[in-house]
Amino acid sequence: MSKEMNTEETPVVIQQEESADVKENKGMAILAYIIFFIPLLAAKDSKFAMYHANQGLILFLCWIGVSVLGTVLPFIGWLLILPFGSLVLVIFAVMGIINAANGKEKPLPIIGKYKLLK
């Protein structure tokens, strides 16, 4: 019976630690979608901030890819890739900011499954 009580108490402690991390680093997680490297410098011990810094880095790299492809490819890039790609990435950034503000570690659609930072 004491084993059951120990296993039930452990998740509560872990949840409290995670919620403290989330409360302390929500601002850094939100900032990760605007300037991804700030949380890398200021909150590198926070799992929550690093998760969102990773998402922000992937979003930034996708933005560079959309910009390069949209600029290099004539007409198709100028009329389709740049406007629609930029719109999609702005929507992803807003989704990431909302998730960070709500304290969630929810991956972004399509690009959220990749992990570049440890």
Side-chain angles (χ1 to χ4, degrees):
M1 182 110 171
S2 63
K3 288 182 182 179
E4 291 176 15
M5 292 177 76
N6 287 339
T7 57
E8 290 176 5
E9 292 175 6
T10 304
V12 173
V13 172
I14 292 172
Q15 287 177 354
Q16 288 175 350
E17 289 176 12
E18 288 177 356
S19 66
D21 179 34
V22 170
K23 284 180 184 178
E24 291 176 9
N25 295 299
K26 267 188 188 179
M28 286 294 152
I30 292 169
L31 196 58
Y33 292 97
I34 300 167
I35 306 170
F36 74 91
F37 62 85
I38 299 292
L40 293 176
L41 301 172
K44 57 182 153 187
D45 295 331
S46 170
K47 180 185 170 201
F48 182 70
M50 291 303 288
Y51 176 81
H52 288 287
N54 181 65
Q55 296 284 305
L57 173 61
I58 294 169
L59 191 65
F60 176 72
L61 293 175
C62 288
W63 206 296
I64 289 173
V66 165
S67 296
V68 169
L69 279 175
T71 304
V72 171
L73 297 174
F75 300 113
I76 293 173
W78 302 332
L79 299 175
L80 293 176
I81 295 174
L82 272 176
F84 292 117
S86 296
L87 179 65
V88 167
L89 292 175
V90 166
I91 292 170
F92 285 176
V94 170
M95 289 173 66
I97 290 170
I98 291 171
N99 287 334
N102 290 332
K104 297 179 183 176
E105 287 188 6
K106 187 177 176 184
L108 296 174
I110 301 167
I111 62 174
K113 60 185 173 185
Y114 302 106
K115 187 172 180 181
L116 299 176
L117 301 173
K118 291 182 181 183

